[in-house]
Amino acid sequence: MCGRFAITLPNDAMARLFAAQPANDLPPVPNFNVCPTNPVHVVRAGDGRRRLVPMRWGFLPHWYKSASDGPLLINARAETLAEKPAFRAACRARRCIVVASGFYEWTRTDEGKRLPWYIYRRDGAPLAFGGVWQDWGREDPQPTCAIVTTAASAAVSSIHHRMPLVLEPSDWSLWLGEAGHGAARLMQPADEGTLDFHRVGTAVNSNRASGAELIAPLEPG
């Protein structure tokens, strides 16, 4: 799964990278501790162009009467994406890319202590997570999104059994619906060697923590 991540790329650099028109109300960066329900940076396509826009991280199906009317849907499993009532329409028509620099996962000690890890692309490039989105609410609709997850790659499975869907640049157009049909074939774990990771300090266990030190490798000892 993906329950927390970091984004450090400047907004204008994100817009250039994805050849997208940036919105005027994008979330501030850097943010080393993006949490569920926060606004996140999302690339979506339509009307022949891409847009970089803010969306609430936490997908709200149209039948929710309030934002807390059901489970908090921050992730959507690739294996059931096309079947789940909450996601099946978005899977066909409203796929998007959630931009990140890295994400956090946790292991547990025998004593139950949570140990955080920071996971990122080995080549230093930003991460493009496959996502789905949905406008929620009749008056002043709010755009909301969820990150698609797959089974973990062999390396990441030593930390967690699930991971976000990581898209390569050559796949962005297909995922966004610009290159026709066939996006389902992209819903696979990242290739081995794509991601790297290191232990970080337990400060990030708090959703109120902030600062670049959250992603710094934990000193041995």
Side-chain angles (χ1 to χ4, degrees):
M1 64 174 293
C2 179
R4 211 91 66 75
F5 65 89
I7 177 65
T8 63
L9 195 65
N11 289 331
D12 58 348
M14 270 186 266
R16 288 195 302 271
L17 177 65
F18 290 95
Q21 177 67 37
N24 293 325
D25 56 347
L26 291 168
V29 286
N31 184 348
F32 295 93
N33 196 3
V34 181
C35 301
T37 74
N38 286 172
V40 296
H41 297 78
V42 174
V43 179
R44 63 180 178 87
D47 302 323
R49 60 177 175 173
R50 294 177 183 174
R51 294 176 175 85
L52 178 65
V53 298
M55 290 190 186
R56 176 191 189 267
W57 184 22
F59 189 100
L60 296 175
H62 65 84
W63 60 81
Y64 277 26
K65 295 179 180 178
S66 71
S68 58
D69 200 32
L72 181 59
L73 303 176
I74 61 170
N75 294 154
R77 293 176 65 95
E79 297 88 343
T80 57
L81 187 65
E83 304 165 8
K84 292 289 187 180
F87 300 124
R88 61 190 176 199
C91 175
R92 292 192 299 271
R94 294 187 301 279
R95 296 187 300 274
C96 62
I97 291 172
V98 179
V99 191
S101 299
F103 64 100
Y104 301 97
E105 281 297 354
W106 282 261
T107 53
R108 286 187 181 272
T109 67
D110 292 340
E111 296 76 28
K113 184 178 180 180
R114 299 176 74 227
L115 304 178
W117 298 76
Y118 185 61
I119 306 170
Y120 47 91
R121 287 191 65 107
R122 182 170 291 177
D123 61 10
L127 287 161
F129 296 152
V132 290
W133 68 276
Q134 164 85 47
D135 277 338
W136 176 78
R138 294 182 179 179
E139 297 182 9
D140 191 22
Q142 179 182 11
T144 70
C145 66
I147 294 170
V148 177
T149 66
T150 70
S153 62
V156 175
S157 67
S158 64
I159 301 172
H160 198 276
H161 67 287
R162 303 290 297 177
M163 64 179 289
L165 170 60
V166 176
L167 299 169
E168 295 298 325
S170 58
D171 297 326
W172 294 349
S173 289
L174 184 58
W175 183 257
L176 291 172
E178 300 166 326
H181 302 291
R185 68 173 177 80
L186 303 177
M187 291 192 280
Q188 303 290 334
D191 291 341
E192 295 300 330
T194 300
L195 303 178
D196 207 346
F197 47 84
H198 58 248
R199 270 286 318 280
V200 294
T202 55
V204 75
N205 290 2
S206 168
N207 59 13
R208 296 183 179 181
S210 63
E213 65 274 11
L214 297 182
I215 67 171
L218 191 66
E219 294 293 335

